Amino acid sequence: MKYLKQYRIPFKGLSSGSHNFEFEIDEKFFACYEHTLVHEGKLKARIELEKKESLLIAHFDIQGVIKLDCDICLTRFDSPISIQERILVKFTDDEWEDETEEVVTLSKNDYEMDIAPLLYEYINLAVPPYTKCSVNGNGISCDPDMLNMISEQPDNSNEVEEEQALDPRWEALKKIKNN
């Protein structure tokens, strides 16, 4: 977790106004998280931090490429990613229960903001639920050899249905269901 210390923005000594920060995100970043959807990638995060008297406004711009596995042909491919997010940081002395995905609270004694969890969350939320080379890749298509192997697989669904129809336990259960 020492690696993630570089993803902290010290805001205490900053003057009011806009400040820019830039961070590189690679395999070492993703290795710090146990259950990540992304294990490889090369991204650049640009954060514009607007410091005001009582709050911070952080604009995230994350650009780059992540490695995904195709759900159809299992090929690992580069998927371009572009993320723009905004977050408000409020300072308070007491516990604030109404924290949302757009508002984060920090103690008035805090002097830096850890953005690693936010970067991790934004990147993992950008991963599509269904990945396909031709849709999420950059001008690539599924591996034709793998597609041929998939289409040559015998269809065993008829055998399973015949086994279920022959099993007398199913008939007994159907009688109970109909009563």
Side-chain angles (χ1 to χ4, degrees), residues 101-116:
E101 61 260 357
E102 279 192 358
V103 179
V104 174
T105 59
L106 293 176
S107 168
K108 289 186 178 181
N109 298 327
D110 287 336
Y111 60 93
E112 64 185 7
M113 180 173 72
D114 185 8
I115 62 164

Side-chain angles (χ1 to χ4, degrees), residues 13 19 66 79 84 87 94 96-97 116-117 134 137 143 151 158 164 168 171:
H19 305 276
I66 57 175
S79 178
Q84 283 78 34
I87 194 159
D94 41 84
W96 198 47
E97 299 295 326
S134 58
D143 182 11
S151 64
N158 291 338
Q164 290 176 351
E171 294 300 323

Side-chain angles (χ1 to χ4, degrees), residues 32-50:
C32 295
Y33 293 96
E34 193 173 333
H35 301 290
T36 183
L37 296 173
V38 180
H39 297 284
E40 295 180 54
K42 187 141 182 76
L43 302 148
K44 186 173 281 201
R46 291 179 183 90
I47 291 87
E48 180 186 351
L49 189 69
E50 287 181 56

Side-chain angles (χ1 to χ4, degrees), residues 1-11 21-23 47 49 111-117 119:
M1 290 305 227
K2 289 183 179 181
Y3 182 79
L4 294 179
K5 286 185 178 182
Q6 65 180 315
Y7 297 98
R8 293 183 180 171
I9 299 176
F11 58 82
F21 300 91
E22 203 166 281
F23 299 94
I47 291 87
L49 189 69
Y111 60 93
E112 64 185 7
M113 180 173 72
D114 185 8
I115 62 164
L119 294 172

Side-chain angles (χ1 to χ4, degrees), residues 7 25 29 45 47 60 62 115-123:
Y7 297 98
I25 302 168
F29 176 84
I47 291 87
F60 290 80
I62 305 168
I115 62 164
L118 294 170
L119 294 172
Y120 170 76
E121 181 179 328
Y122 293 150
I123 292 167

